[in-house]
Amino acid sequence: MEPKGRLARFAVLGAGFTFNVAAEMNNEINLGIMDTQDRDDQFIGVEYKRYLTPIESSKSPYLIRPYIQRANDVSVRYFQADNDSRYQVGANWYVNPSWVVSGDYTFVNRENDRSFYSDNHYQALDLNLGYFFQPNWHAGVGVYYTRRTWESAFGDITESYRDSDWSPSVFSRYTSLDGGSGWDVRGEYTFSDTQNFELDGRYFFNQKLSLSATYTYIEQDERFAPVDDIIAGQHLLELGFDYWFSSHFNFRFGLGTDLEQGDGISSLTLLTSIRF
């Protein structure tokens, strides 16, 4: 599971790819972009994921095949959003058929456009422990640690600041499939001054095509707003579809809106994934 609405939204940046067809795949590359209206941030990202357990051919949907097969993985990501440069490393490890451990570390460096701020850094550690009560249903708990350091300068006076926060969370995921079709539903709630609730539902028509809806509620502590550019009390909804042309290549498209503002389409998301 990828929690707390921090799911990477990537987009199509390139065109032609050639693959040697194989029964198993160990690598995945994600490229993407998200354009958000009314804010000066065009989100561009790239991710490389290495599956330590090879992805095998099966009748399950291509998109969630690694999850269905309990494939362990490690990943590295880079994002560029407005003045933010974000670096991430992560991993998912299925200890046995019942337990899964996941974690992500994020470092953000911001180049402020306001002259009295400098050296603005943000770090986050996201750890989760899940248990499979049934083969198609698991739930668990997590903790999200954030730490921010920055300096402000007024004339000859320079001051340094540091702030941190621990946020516990609970999550659950339920998958009901009949061959290549069915539902995949997941939700998560984070407890703290920075509250976040996300509910994501996806229906697979077959192995290749799926439609999704994601609702996110964010109540952001003002201390972190300068880093995350998040307005308190947001109700976000994104609708999208995902289509795999083969087991190696897909295209995803999404449109989002802020239900609180009610001003129509507020974001556009594009993604391509390549497995080999």
Side-chain angles (χ1 to χ4, degrees), residues 2 21 39-40 62 96 118 126 138-139 148 155 207 220 264:
E2 300 186 54
V21 177
R39 297 184 198 165
D40 185 22
Y62 295 131
N96 54 42
S118 62
D126 185 14
H138 88 283
R148 179 187 168 197
Q207 288 182 309
Q220 182 84 340

Side-chain angles (χ1 to χ4, degrees), residues 56-263:
E56 301 176 350
S57 298
S58 70
K59 295 182 179 180
S60 59
Y62 295 131
L63 178 64
I64 60 172
R65 189 169 289 178
Y67 172 73
I68 297 298
Q69 296 182 7
R70 310 289 190 263
N72 301 323
D73 68 75
V74 293
S75 60
V76 291
R77 312 178 189 98
Y78 171 75
F79 310 114
Q80 179 66 47
D82 194 15
N83 296 324
D84 290 356
S85 294
R86 306 185 179 211
Y87 307 87
Q88 282 186 290
V89 294
N92 292 285
W93 186 264
Y94 295 89
V95 181
N96 54 42
S98 297
W99 293 95
V100 56
V101 179
S102 63
D104 278 283
Y105 169 76
T106 303
F107 177 81
V108 180
N109 181 57
R110 158 157 286 198
E111 297 180 3
N112 286 282
D113 52 8
R114 292 177 289 181
S115 60
F116 52 87
Y117 280 131
S118 62
D119 298 328
N120 194 339
H121 302 297
Y122 175 85
Q123 299 179 72
L125 181 63
D126 185 14
L127 298 174
N128 296 276
L129 176 64
Y131 180 79
F132 283 86
F133 296 92
Q134 298 176 8
N136 62 339
W137 174 50
H138 88 283
V141 296
V143 62
Y144 188 59
Y145 172 72
T146 58
R147 179 180 179 180
R148 179 187 168 197
T149 58
W150 73 100
E151 292 183 352
S152 64
F154 299 89
D156 297 331
I157 301 176
T158 301
E159 295 183 348
S160 298
Y161 301 88
R162 178 180 300 174
D163 207 343
S164 61
D165 184 48
W166 289 91
S167 304
S169 64
V170 293
F171 63 86
S172 182
R173 181 171 183 175
Y174 179 78
T175 306
S176 178
L177 298 174
D178 182 9
S181 63
W183 288 94
D184 183 30
V185 181
R186 51 189 173 181
E188 180 164 9
Y189 186 82
T190 305
F191 306 87
S192 76
D193 294 334
T194 307
Q195 298 186 62
N196 186 312
F197 170 73
E198 179 172 321
L199 180 63
D200 178 72
R202 180 178 296 273
Y203 182 76
F204 295 93
F205 294 91
N206 48 49
Q207 288 182 309
K208 297 182 177 181
L209 176 64
S210 64
L211 298 180
S212 66
T214 301
Y215 168 75
T216 305
Y217 172 72
I218 302 172
E219 185 175 336
Q220 182 84 340
D221 191 310
E222 293 181 355
R223 295 174 299 169
F224 300 103
V227 173
D228 287 345
D229 289 331
I230 292 175
I231 302 173
Q234 280 188 304
H235 296 266
L236 307 176
L237 177 66
E238 180 172 284
L239 303 177
F241 76 87
D242 189 284
Y243 185 79
W244 286 77
F245 296 91
S246 70
S247 60
H248 297 282
F249 176 72
N250 90 320
F251 173 77
R252 185 181 301 178
F253 175 80
L255 293 174
T257 185
D258 188 332
L259 300 177
E260 191 74 14
Q261 300 295 326
D263 55 356

